[in-house]
């Protein structure tokens, strides 16, 4: 018989999850879009890097981690702050629009083949197991990306940057997604590649699977390198 007093917290969570009242608690998976379903996080980086260079600022991949998950204008503020540059509001709007045009030049070349390997299969498997699927992206371009990838139909609920007031790390986007899925936050698991996104998911009272570097996403409940690698039997054990 298991001696529960000798188990650490993670092991204990794994054990207790087999108790009847905890069984199949998770009823939905909510995916972030950029960097989780498709490589648009890289396009954001290329466009921001080009804009930063115009302002005489070097945007390193490490600094770029801070831009992930946050809104367009917040990303710009972080870059300006890094370079110690201050600009009038009107000019900030103008250059943020320019960045968005560059971003969309990349996006508009995408086809359904650009969905990360294994993602559609993972979603299909989750659905077959009765799990609902949500999307929660801070991007105001999410609808366009979903349409280009032809994956709209995979989602039971979609929340994007046009529907929220506060972007990640605020939990608003995930709370709204759970509401649209007609579920409680603790019935949802989030997949996120951004530190701000992982923070938001945990603040919403959800479990979170980090997608990317385990060092960067250490506060997530579980980290995988690529979305398609996720084993669905992990879902109820997070
Ligand atoms: C998030 C990205 O998904 O969307 C951020 O991780 C980006 O990097 C944010 O800034 C807003 O995107 P958009 O497309 O509205 O500029
Ligand atoms: Mg992301």
């Amino acid at each position: 018989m298991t001696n529960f007093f000798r188990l650490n917290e993670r092991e204990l969570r794994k054990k207790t999850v087999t108790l009847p009242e905890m069984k199949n608690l998770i009823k939905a998976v909510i995916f972030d879009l950029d960097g989780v379903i498709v490589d648009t996080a890289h396009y954001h980086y290329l466009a921001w890097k080009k804009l930063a260079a115009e302002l005489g600022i070097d945007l390193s991949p490490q600094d770029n981690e801070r831009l992930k998950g946050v809104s367009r204008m917040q990303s710009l503020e972080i870059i300006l702050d890094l370079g110690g540059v201050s600009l009038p509001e009107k000019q900030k709007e103008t250059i943020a629009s320019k960045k968005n045009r560059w971003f969309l030049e990349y996006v508009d070349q995408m086809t359904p083949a650009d969905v990360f390997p294994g993602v559609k299969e993972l979603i299909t498997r989750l659905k077959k197991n009765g799990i609902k699927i949500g999307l929660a992206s801070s991007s105001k371009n999410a609808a366009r990306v979903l349409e280009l990838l032809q994956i709209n139909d995979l989602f039971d609920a979609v929340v994007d940057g046009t529907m929220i007031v506060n972007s990640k790390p605020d939990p608003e986007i995930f709370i709204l997604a759970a509401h649209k899925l007609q579920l409680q936050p603790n019935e949802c698991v989030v997949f996120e590649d951004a530190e701000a996104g992982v923070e938001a998911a945990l603040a919403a009272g959800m479990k979170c699977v980090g997608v990317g570097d385990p060092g960067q996403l250490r506060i997530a409940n579980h980290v995988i390198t690529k979305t398609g690698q996720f084993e669905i039997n992990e879902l109820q054990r997070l």
Side-chain angles (χ1 to χ4, degrees):
M1 187 167 151
T2 313
N3 182 349
F4 283 92
F5 294 104
R6 301 188 64 174
L7 298 173
N8 65 32
E9 204 191 326
R10 186 172 165 78
E11 287 167 333
L12 197 56
R13 260 193 259 130
K14 283 190 178 176
K15 289 286 172 207
T16 53
V17 95
T18 58
L19 294 174
E21 68 272 21
M22 292 286 285
K23 227 176 177 182
N24 301 331
L25 175 68
I26 300 305
K27 298 194 173 120
V29 170
I30 301 173
F31 290 90
D32 171 49
L33 177 64
D34 296 326
V36 168
I37 286 186
V38 65
D39 204 12
T40 36
H42 185 57
Y43 300 155
H44 278 295
Y45 176 50
L46 294 178
W48 281 127
K49 196 168 167 60
K50 186 169 167 183
L51 188 83
E54 280 196 353
L55 297 165
I57 303 166
D58 179 40
L59 183 67
S60 69
Q62 196 51 41
D63 290 331
N64 182 58
E65 289 302 317
R66 294 174 56 202
L67 311 186
K68 290 185 180 174
V70 306
S71 71
R72 191 180 309 165
M73 293 313 287
Q74 281 168 325
S75 298
L76 177 59
E77 293 294 350
I78 293 170
I79 292 171
L80 294 177
D81 199 45
L82 281 168
V85 175
S86 87
L87 294 175
E89 283 310 310
K90 190 111 185 68
Q91 202 180 339
K92 285 188 207 168
E93 296 283 347
T94 308
I95 63 174
S97 302
K98 181 154 79 168
K99 177 266 169 182
N100 195 48
R101 284 197 299 278
W102 290 334
F103 173 69
L104 291 176
E105 281 172 18
Y106 292 114
V107 162
D108 287 343
Q109 318 248 333
M110 290 194 310
T111 71
D114 287 300
V115 177
F116 279 143
V119 170
K120 283 190 202 163
E121 293 80 355
L122 171 62
I123 292 177
T124 306
R125 249 178 291 136
L126 289 165
K127 286 186 151 187
K128 276 192 184 143
N129 281 271
I131 301 291
K132 288 188 185 177
I133 307 295
L135 185 108
S137 167
S138 304
S139 174
K140 293 185 168 154
N141 295 302
R144 184 159 172 169
V145 172
L146 293 182
E147 197 176 316
L148 282 163
L149 299 175
Q150 295 174 17
I151 54 171
N152 278 297
D153 294 351
L154 296 181
F155 301 97
D156 298 298
V158 171
V159 185
D160 68 24
T162 66
M163 304 171 192
I164 50 165
V165 178
N166 306 296
S167 74
K168 303 164 189 176
D170 191 283
E172 179 184 347
I173 195 163
F174 293 122
I175 301 283
L176 183 56
H179 181 75
K180 282 190 161 203
L181 291 165
Q182 298 181 298
L183 292 173
Q184 296 302 315
N186 68 348
E187 294 175 315
C188 305
V189 166
V190 169
F191 276 52
E192 257 297 343
D193 69 317
E195 239 177 303
V198 176
E199 260 182 63
L202 299 180
M206 301 178 182
K207 290 278 165 45
C208 187
V209 175
V211 180
D213 173 14
Q216 192 76 42
L217 304 172
R218 70 182 76 83
I219 59 167
N221 301 93
H222 180 61
V223 181
I224 50 178
T225 323
K226 294 186 187 316
T227 311
Q229 280 173 354
F230 187 73
E231 299 286 345
I232 71 163
N233 53 12
E234 278 289 324
L235 203 61
Q236 308 293 346
R237 291 198 245 151
L238 292 167

